[in-house]
């Protein structure tokens, strides 16, 4: 049988693999004839008897990892679950039930081809895309995959739905109609603090320091990451104080809401929005609203990041990207700075209306 590949030795001694059909030559990066002959033989055999070579490869792989030839994607998902805790565990348990993964569950990891992933990603579902990429990366990290099924740059880009902040008018309508005092106080607290719904619902009376007028808490989302997490220290305003004084003075501030799942709180909120004809918002929209309000009034970005629990400026700017900001007059800004310096006798770089905000925030940190 005529062989597809042959050897060519260049004047400088390096052997090249030559495709006799196309004429393409590829360097073997060796000047050892014996080594070059073995590589040549492997390439020719791979063309002549691919099924035999696949079986031969499995023999070698089984020597390194006995389960490599039988491990399925369901096994990979099960392994991921064992490494998760708390809320992250619940999210993963829900995510792997995705019906789009049914075509992959019993598929052997090492025999997976790009078209298998394309089938799972066919409907463009964002959660499928995000979690399949994580599952794929986990298999790569555990060295259960010899190479990426889909190269990183070729992975389909998820198309997210547009997210928006809840408006002041929408929030006022919800508060005005809400008869349950615990839920009403909860929604008002989210509007004034920008807290995530799970963080807000889990607040305890012991988290409040009335002497310094601060609330201290660590984001539940970040607890699973370990390390030295810096808690958020939030100085509350007079409006927040009114809400806090209405809540229990010991234990959970929201006794009912802290006991239900995040999905149940979201469903209750959606029912109230539907009753008022409000669409396109969720409890998370309160965080977008807080970020936009902070940007509009010129609240320092580093304090806004700390308040929302964002380590990344890029993430924080996504939250506030829809805010409409009017750039102030430079002349007026300079006059405010000069007047502020004359009053205090010290040089200031910010106008009067920001001085109290920055002082309070710096004391809180």
């Amino acid at each position: 049988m005529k062989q597809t590949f042959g050897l060519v030795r260049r004047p400088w001694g390096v052997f090249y693999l030559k495709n006799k059909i196309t004429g393409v030559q590829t360097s073997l990066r060796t000047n050892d004839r014996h080594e070059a002959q073995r590589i040549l033989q492997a390439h020719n055999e791979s063309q002549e008897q691919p099924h035999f070579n696949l079986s031969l490869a499995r023999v070698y792989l089984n020597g390194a990892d006995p389960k490599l030839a039988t491990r399925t994607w369901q096994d990979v998902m099960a392994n991921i679950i064992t490494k998760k805790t708390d809320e992250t565990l619940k999210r993963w348990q829900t995510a792997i039930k995705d019906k789009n993964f049914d075509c992959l569950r019993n598929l052997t990891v090492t025999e997976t081809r790009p078209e298998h992933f394309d089938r799972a990603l066919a409907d463009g579902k964002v959660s499928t895309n995000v979690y399949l990429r994580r599952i794929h990366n986990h298999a790569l990290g555990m060295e259960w995959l010899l190479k990426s099924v889909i190269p990183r740059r070729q992975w389909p880009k998820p198309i997210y739905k547009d997210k928006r902040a809840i408006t002041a008018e929408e929030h006022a309508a919800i508060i005005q109609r809400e008869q349950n005092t615990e839920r009403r106080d909860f929604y008002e607290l989210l509007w004034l603090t920008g807290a995530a719904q799970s963080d807000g619902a889990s607040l305890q009376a012991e988290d409040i320091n009335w002497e310094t007028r601060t609330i201290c808490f660590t984001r539940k989302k970040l607890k699973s990451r370990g390390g030295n997490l810096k808690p958020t220290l939030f100085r509350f305003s007079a409006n927040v104080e009114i809400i806090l004084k209405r809540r229990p003075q010991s234990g959970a501030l929201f006794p009912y809401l802290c006991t239900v799942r995040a999905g149940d709180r979201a469903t209750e909120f959606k029912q109230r929005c539907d009753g008022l004809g409000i669409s396109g918002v969720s409890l998370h929209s309160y965080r977008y609203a807080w970020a936009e309000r902070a940007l509009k009034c010129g609240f320092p970005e580093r304090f806004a990041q700390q308040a929302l629990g964002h380590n990344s400026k890029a993430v924080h700017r996504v939250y506030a990207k829809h805010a409409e900001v009017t750039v102030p007059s430079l002349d007026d800004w300079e006059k405010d700075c000069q007047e502020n310096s004359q009053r205090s006798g010290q040089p200031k770089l910010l106008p009067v209306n920001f001085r109290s905000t920055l002082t309070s925030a710096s004391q809180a940190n």
Side-chain angles (χ1 to χ4, degrees):
M1 183 179 292
K2 187 176 180 180
Q3 294 184 334
T4 305
F5 298 98
L7 277 183
V8 175
R9 189 171 191 175
R10 295 291 176 84
W12 49 88
V14 177
F15 285 94
Y16 278 68
L17 186 73
K18 180 178 180 180
N19 189 314
K20 295 179 181 180
I21 298 174
T22 63
V24 175
Q25 296 183 14
T26 306
S27 174
L28 298 182
R29 300 179 184 277
T30 180
N31 55 11
D32 186 323
R33 180 175 290 277
H34 179 67
E35 183 179 352
Q37 289 287 354
R38 290 189 60 184
I39 298 174
L40 172 65
Q41 182 181 354
H43 275 81
N44 282 322
E45 287 179 352
S46 68
Q47 294 292 318
E48 296 169 5
Q49 42 193 6
H51 296 292
F52 169 76
N53 285 286
L54 180 59
S55 300
L56 189 63
R58 286 173 179 162
V59 172
Y60 284 109
L61 291 174
N62 286 337
D65 182 359
K67 293 184 178 180
L68 199 63
T70 59
R71 187 177 288 109
T72 65
W73 287 104
Q74 184 62 45
D75 296 328
V76 178
M77 297 178 199
N79 184 265
I80 294 175
I81 291 294
T82 62
K83 302 177 185 297
K84 305 301 178 183
T85 59
D86 302 329
E87 292 297 321
T88 306
L89 174 61
K90 294 178 182 178
R91 283 196 294 271
W92 268 99
Q93 288 174 333
T94 301
I96 64 174
K97 294 178 182 178
D98 190 343
K99 292 182 178 180
N100 287 343
F101 293 151
D102 291 347
C103 62
L104 300 174
R105 295 187 193 280
N106 299 319
L107 180 65
T108 304
V109 173
T110 55
E111 296 181 359
T112 308
R113 299 188 301 275
E115 53 265 32
H116 293 135
F117 275 15
D118 289 340
R119 195 177 309 150
L121 298 169
D123 65 354
K125 188 176 177 182
V126 172
S127 61
T128 302
N129 189 313
V130 171
Y131 279 95
L132 181 56
R133 185 193 290 253
R134 293 176 182 176
I135 294 168
H136 171 260
N137 290 343
H138 182 79
L140 275 175
M142 297 294 290
E143 296 186 352
W144 294 338
L145 268 175
L146 303 182
K147 66 174 185 176
S148 300
V149 176
I150 299 179
R152 182 173 60 87
R153 292 184 180 276
Q154 299 301 321
W155 198 278
K157 187 176 181 180
I159 302 176
Y160 294 93
K161 293 181 180 179
D162 191 30
K163 300 173 183 177
R164 71 174 182 89
I166 187 170
T167 65
E169 293 76 15
E170 291 169 338
H171 169 67
I174 292 171
I175 294 301
Q176 184 176 2
R177 188 176 180 180
E178 183 58 58
Q179 300 298 315
N180 183 287
T181 56
E182 181 175 346
R183 288 197 190 91
R184 184 173 62 246
D185 288 346
F186 178 61
Y187 299 152
E188 285 199 84
L189 189 69
L190 295 187
W191 173 261
L192 292 170
T193 64
Q197 62 141 319
S198 294
D199 296 333
S202 301
L203 283 175
Q204 303 286 314
E206 291 71 24
D207 295 330
I208 305 170
N209 187 325
W210 290 102
E211 293 183 3
T212 59
R213 297 175 60 82
T214 57
I215 302 174
C216 181
F217 65 92
T218 301
R219 289 211 62 197
K220 292 173 68 67
K221 178 180 178 180
L222 303 179
K223 284 184 179 180
S224 61
R225 299 182 185 179
N228 297 321
L229 292 176
K230 191 174 182 180
T232 297
L233 197 60
F234 191 93
R235 184 178 296 276
F236 56 81
S237 63
N239 290 333
V240 176
E241 180 181 2
I242 294 172
I243 298 171
L244 296 178
K245 287 185 175 180
R246 292 201 298 255
R247 305 314 308 155
Q249 298 305 300
S250 64
L253 293 183
F254 304 100
Y256 165 72
L257 292 174
C258 71
T259 62
V260 301
R261 297 184 307 113
D264 294 332
R265 290 192 294 266
T267 299
E268 291 172 349
F269 180 74
K270 187 176 185 305
Q271 291 171 346
R272 281 143 183 79
C273 291
D274 291 343
L276 292 167
I278 299 172
S279 61
V281 297
S282 65
L283 282 174
H284 205 73
S285 297
Y286 278 107
R287 289 174 65 75
Y288 286 98
W290 195 95
E292 290 184 7
R293 289 162 52 211
L295 181 60
K296 287 180 181 178
C297 72
F299 195 67
E301 186 178 52
R302 66 189 183 97
F303 294 140
Q305 278 186 247
Q306 180 70 12
L308 293 177
H310 293 158
N311 290 328
S312 166
K313 288 185 178 181
V315 171
H316 180 72
R317 286 164 186 168
V318 168
Y319 273 66
K321 66 181 181 181
H322 293 299
E324 294 183 2
V325 180
T326 301
V327 179
S329 165
L330 178 59
D331 291 340
D332 294 339
W333 189 272
E334 287 179 328
K335 289 178 182 178
D336 286 339
C337 289
Q338 292 172 358
E339 292 174 1
N340 183 39
S341 299
Q342 292 173 358
R343 291 194 189 99
S344 62
Q346 297 178 356
K348 297 289 182 179
L349 297 178
L350 293 174
V352 176
N353 59 333
F354 290 103
R355 183 175 59 183
S356 59
T357 301
L358 288 176
T359 302
S360 299
S362 60
Q363 290 173 354
N365 285 327

